[in-house]
Amino acid sequence: MDVTNFSSQPHWRHCYRNICTDNFVERKHSFPSPFTTSFKTHSRTKKITMSSEVVFNLEYLTRLEESARTLESTPQQRSEMMFKAQREVDAYLEQLSLDHPTGWVIPPKETQGQDKLVQPGQYQVQSGPNQVQSGPDRVQSGPDWVQSAPDQAQSGPDRVQSGPDQVQSGPDQVQSGPDQVQSGPDQVQSGRGPHETEPLPIQENGVSIDEVLRDFSRIGNEMEREGHPGHMAYVPGNSTAPAAIGDFLAASFNPYSLNVASCRRAVKMQQMIVQWVGRLFGYPSACAGNLTSGGTVATMVAMTTARDHKVPRSKDYSRSVLYLSELTHDGVAKCLSTLGMREAVVRKVPVDDKYRMDVNILRKFIENDVQNNLLPFLVVATTGTTDVGSVDPVPAIRAVATQYNMWLHVDACYGGFFVLCNSAKHLFEGVETADSIAVDPHKGLYAPFGTGLVLVRNGTLLRNSNTRQHGNYMQDQLTNPEDWNPEDLTFEQSAHFRAPRVLLPLQLYGVATFRDALQEKLELAKYLYLRLKGQAHIQVVEPVLSTVLFRIPGVSDNTNRALLREITTDGRFFITTTTVKGVLYLRVIIFCYRTHRQDVDVFINKVKDAVVKMELPEVEFCHAG
């Protein structure tokens, strides 16, 4: 028995001395714990005295070891698990272009141009390991086969039936069609979906990897598929294969990546990313930052630094003022509560006709607040609003912030990495003067969800707000005051090693690939704008980045919602509405790297057909905005 690993620990010192004397009692039967108290010597036991009162059960410890060693997988086991997991991933990715972007409906296949539908029964769709297939001879759903002959299967807008009765999968009926499963703000509902099942429960004893993966892969049919080329809602997240490999490597090596003493190379990888992004925005080398779990946390770290620098006394929180535009992301104001500044004043500045923060109104707000003995401390500019994609005038806002000694934070979470594109660089003029920036690699760099990044121009201020004071248990750790540890640049500790999911794709594909992918989205947004601009009955807003708003003017909001339902009813595309300056629009964001011109062409045809079906009055020209 190897005792060298624990002999130096105080809890084990007495035990170690007695074990070495070959003189303590080992029980043959099991106990609920390895220690028990005994005042008698049993004749059936081997006597190796540990002390006059303590008996140690080595047999119990051995059984625990054997069970614990289950976690120590062999190379063959790891290869088998990875192979099977990859098979599930491949099956999911292959179905992306066929299935509904919200995961509930398998729509008819469409092609580019005017050709609309492939007749039912001419293609098959396979979904994950459970093989969801649609064809003339059978329909398969879940682990068991559900067969439907050609003369029995019926498909229509109101129902999907197999034989005389409805097709059922599991305990609940599964129906497909625009009356049963619909997309849009009025139709998509949270809660139990038509194919939803309960996850495999946590049990006392484990099950096979095949059963675990089979259960997990069902998630592909119970999720919004944000990697789908037809997912054009919200700001869809995407992930690349190298990013997934990066996560696998990070979890497998599992370094503590927030301290140089624990893993200098991991820290360097993170710092490399932070400094590279800083240079993209024109920040000096004295900047500092960190990878975070997302844009809201990145913003919170920046706002914490702003608070500590501009409002050092908590008694002033209630008269501190934060300035946003009416289109600023809701996560910014949310941070105030987490920062303990719930009582702070929030001013929402109206936007101009280009959907940018109106700087003249901003200045008036600040002047009025100063006269009322309030403390303007932070203004947030956005380069790529979530609703519209508009970009606030950062240089003008910087001038106002400087005049009133305020912190300027730039929210670049959605639009930030468009700075890579030459055609968009001018939109980021002045960002280099901002005190802090938040940007999301899980958007513009196609990293997995949970990847944000914060930058602070003066890195020392960030460090002052977050420096960790180590507990006594770390007093022997070798430290260097010159090291800038990530744990001193954020409130997070024991965070996931996020760098590989960002760094590996950049290293493998090169920056040029990401630049081209983002530039393609800018061009596709312009393409969609120009195509819709030429359509009767359509008002369309010219895009700044990759978000396009359009509507039917002169009709009620309900009519525009009806247009949304008509476009999304078969599930090929997922878009939503938004309301800007009191006007409801249909909103399209082209951001998924799998979305290309042929997808946009199909979408345009859907818009045209939907307008025709609505039988609107004839007009002489379109309305363009």
Side-chain angles (χ1 to χ4, degrees):
M1 181 176 181
D2 182 6
V3 297
T4 57
N5 290 333
F6 58 75
S7 63
S8 61
Q9 303 303 318
H11 181 74
W12 286 99
R13 283 174 184 162
H14 181 67
C15 302
Y16 174 56
R17 286 197 302 270
N18 286 286
I19 290 172
C20 288
T21 65
D22 245 356
N23 198 7
F24 93 124
V25 175
E26 179 188 0
R27 290 274 188 195
K28 293 294 185 182
H29 55 277
S30 62
F31 295 101
S33 72
F35 290 103
T36 187
T37 302
S38 175
F39 296 92
K40 297 180 180 180
T41 300
H42 297 272
S43 58
R44 293 184 180 181
T45 59
K46 174 177 149 188
K47 189 174 182 181
I48 311 175
T49 301
M50 185 174 182
S51 73
S52 61
E53 298 182 353
V54 179
V55 177
F56 194 95
N57 184 359
L58 286 180
E59 182 178 317
Y60 175 74
L61 182 62
T62 300
R63 285 197 301 274
L64 291 179
E65 178 183 335
E66 290 173 352
S67 179
R69 283 188 178 276
T70 305
L71 301 175
E72 302 174 18
S73 56
T74 66
Q76 181 179 353
Q77 289 172 328
R78 290 192 293 272
S79 296
E80 181 180 355
M81 286 188 290
M82 288 299 297
F83 172 77
K84 292 179 177 180
Q86 184 60 48
R87 185 174 59 192
E88 302 300 327
V89 171
D90 289 343
Y92 168 71
L93 293 178
E94 286 171 4
Q95 78 185 29
L96 264 183
S97 62
L98 299 174
D99 283 3
H100 189 301
T102 56
W104 303 121
V105 175
I106 301 175
K109 187 175 182 180
E110 297 187 64
T111 57
Q112 180 179 347
Q114 297 297 323
D115 296 333
K116 293 296 181 288
L117 303 179
V118 175
Q119 294 300 317
Q122 292 184 349
Y123 70 106
Q124 292 186 338
V125 181
Q126 295 188 347
S127 175
N130 300 327
Q131 291 187 328
V132 178
Q133 298 186 345
S134 174
D137 299 324
R138 64 179 182 268
V139 177
Q140 297 182 355
S141 177
D144 301 320
W145 285 42
V146 178
Q147 295 191 348
S148 172
D151 57 345
Q152 293 175 324
Q154 294 183 351
S155 175
D158 299 325
R159 65 184 182 273
V160 173
Q161 297 185 342
S162 176
D165 301 318
Q166 292 177 341
V167 175
Q168 296 184 349
S169 176
D172 302 320
Q173 292 181 345
V174 180
Q175 296 184 343
S176 172
D179 292 340
Q180 280 73 42
V181 182
Q182 296 185 341
S183 169
D186 297 330
Q187 285 70 42
V188 176
Q189 298 179 356
S190 61
R192 196 174 184 86
H195 304 294
E196 191 168 334
T197 58
E198 290 299 319
L200 187 70
I202 300 172
Q203 304 171 87
E204 187 66 22
N205 297 312
V207 297
S208 70
I209 183 65
D210 299 276
E211 185 173 352
V212 171
L213 292 174
R214 183 164 54 248
D215 177 74
F216 180 85
S217 67
R218 292 192 177 100
I219 199 172
N221 291 325
E222 301 177 14
M223 62 181 281
E224 283 183 15
R225 296 176 174 136
E226 304 214 11
H228 189 289
H231 195 297
M232 300 177 176
Y234 317 128
V235 182
N238 297 260
S239 180
T240 63
I245 293 172
D247 264 2
F248 167 71
L249 292 173
S252 299
F253 283 81
N254 200 33
Y256 180 74
S257 58
L258 302 184
N259 191 297
V260 169
S262 297
C263 186
R264 179 177 293 274
R265 190 171 187 83
V267 171
K268 284 186 175 181
M269 291 171 71
Q270 294 177 98
Q271 290 175 339
M272 178 189 301
I273 296 168
V274 168
Q275 290 295 320
W276 174 71
V277 175
R279 290 193 297 272
L280 289 180
F281 290 109
Y283 262 20
S285 59
C287 73
N290 217 328
L291 291 169
T292 69
S293 64
T296 300
V297 169
T299 299
M300 187 161 61
V301 172
M303 289 177 63
T304 301
T305 310
R307 178 201 64 188
D308 293 347
H309 185 56
K310 297 295 184 181
V311 194
R313 299 181 302 178
S314 59
K315 69 177 185 178
D316 293 325
Y317 289 176
S318 61
R319 68 185 190 94
S320 300
V321 189
L322 165 66
Y323 301 87
L324 318 168
S325 93
E326 59 182 299
L327 295 181
T328 300
H329 193 278
D330 58 86
V332 175
K334 178 182 178 181
C335 291
L336 286 176
S337 294
T338 308
L339 296 177
M341 299 186 72
R342 187 187 296 271
E343 297 177 350
V345 180
V346 178
R347 302 278 187 231
K348 290 193 175 182
V349 182
V351 295
D352 60 20
D353 58 356
K354 297 293 184 182
Y355 306 107
R356 303 171 303 183
M357 180 185 286
D358 191 317
V359 180
N360 291 328
I361 297 179
L362 169 66
R363 188 182 296 274
K364 291 178 181 178
F365 279 177
I366 296 173
E367 291 173 351
N368 185 65
D369 288 337
V370 171
Q371 291 175 3
N372 286 285
N373 197 35
L374 296 180
L375 179 61
F377 86 104
L378 173 63
V379 58
V380 178
T382 304
T383 53
T385 59
T386 311
D387 288 275
V388 187
S390 53
V391 175
D392 289 334
V394 178
I397 297 172
R398 171 76 271 176
V400 174
T402 300
Q403 179 181 352
Y404 291 96
N405 191 31
M406 298 168 61
W407 186 282
L408 171 60
H409 175 71
V410 170
D411 178 356
C413 290
Y414 155 44
F417 284 108
F418 284 111
V419 73
L420 289 168
C421 305
N422 292 330
S423 66
K425 284 187 183 296
H426 67 284
L427 299 173
F428 298 90
E429 180 183 353
V431 173
E432 72 279 358
T433 68
D435 296 293
S436 57
I437 304 169
V439 63
D440 277 346
H442 68 214
K443 294 186 175 74
L445 292 183
Y446 306 124
F449 277 129
T451 318
L453 192 149
V454 60
L455 284 165
V456 175
R457 197 172 193 277
N458 183 342
T460 300
L461 297 179
L462 177 64
R463 194 182 193 188
N464 291 344
S465 288
N466 293 279
T467 297
R468 178 183 181 184
Q469 302 298 326
H470 287 150
N472 293 339
Y473 67 96
M474 298 185 69
Q475 63 189 15
D476 295 330
Q477 186 180 66
L478 298 177
T479 59
N480 184 345
E482 300 301 317
D483 289 332
W484 283 58
N485 293 313
E487 65 183 8
D488 294 329
L489 305 173
T490 179
F491 64 86
E492 290 188 277
Q493 293 177 193
S494 302
H496 176 67
F497 182 29
R498 301 182 179 108
R501 57 165 60 175
V502 178
L503 194 56
L504 264 66
L506 286 169
Q507 291 172 328
L508 182 63
Y509 295 137
V511 175
T513 300
F514 289 90
R515 179 183 297 111
D516 291 344
L518 291 169
Q519 186 66 48
E520 181 197 23
K521 307 316 163 202
L522 295 175
E523 299 301 322
L524 286 175
K526 294 176 187 175
Y527 177 75
L528 175 61
Y529 164 73
L530 293 173
R531 291 286 304 274
L532 292 182
K533 184 179 179 181
Q535 301 301 317
H537 302 290
I538 295 295
Q539 174 189 356
V540 58
V541 177
E542 184 174 2
V544 177
L545 295 174
S546 65
T547 302
V548 180
L549 305 185
F550 68 96
R551 67 191 304 269
I552 301 173
V555 299
S556 68
D557 288 350
N558 286 336
T559 301
N560 277 291
R561 291 191 178 98
L563 175 64
L564 173 72
R565 288 193 292 271
E566 192 65 44
I567 293 170
T568 61
T569 191
D570 70 351
R572 175 64 180 82
F573 294 94
F574 180 41
I575 66 171
T576 61
T577 63
T578 190
T579 300
V580 183
K581 294 177 74 69
V583 179
L584 183 137
Y585 289 94
L586 280 70
R587 175 183 176 274
V588 176
I589 182 169
I590 302 175
F591 207 61
C592 174
Y593 64 79
R594 294 183 178 92
T595 303
H596 305 293
R597 185 170 66 88
Q598 58 267 33
D599 303 298
V600 177
D601 282 335
V602 173
F603 179 79
I604 292 168
N605 286 331
K606 283 194 172 295
V607 175
K608 292 165 60 178
D609 290 351
V611 171
V612 170
K613 288 182 180 180
M614 298 181 74
E615 298 181 347
L616 297 168
E618 292 292 332
V619 294
E620 296 183 358
F621 56 88
C622 71
H623 300 262

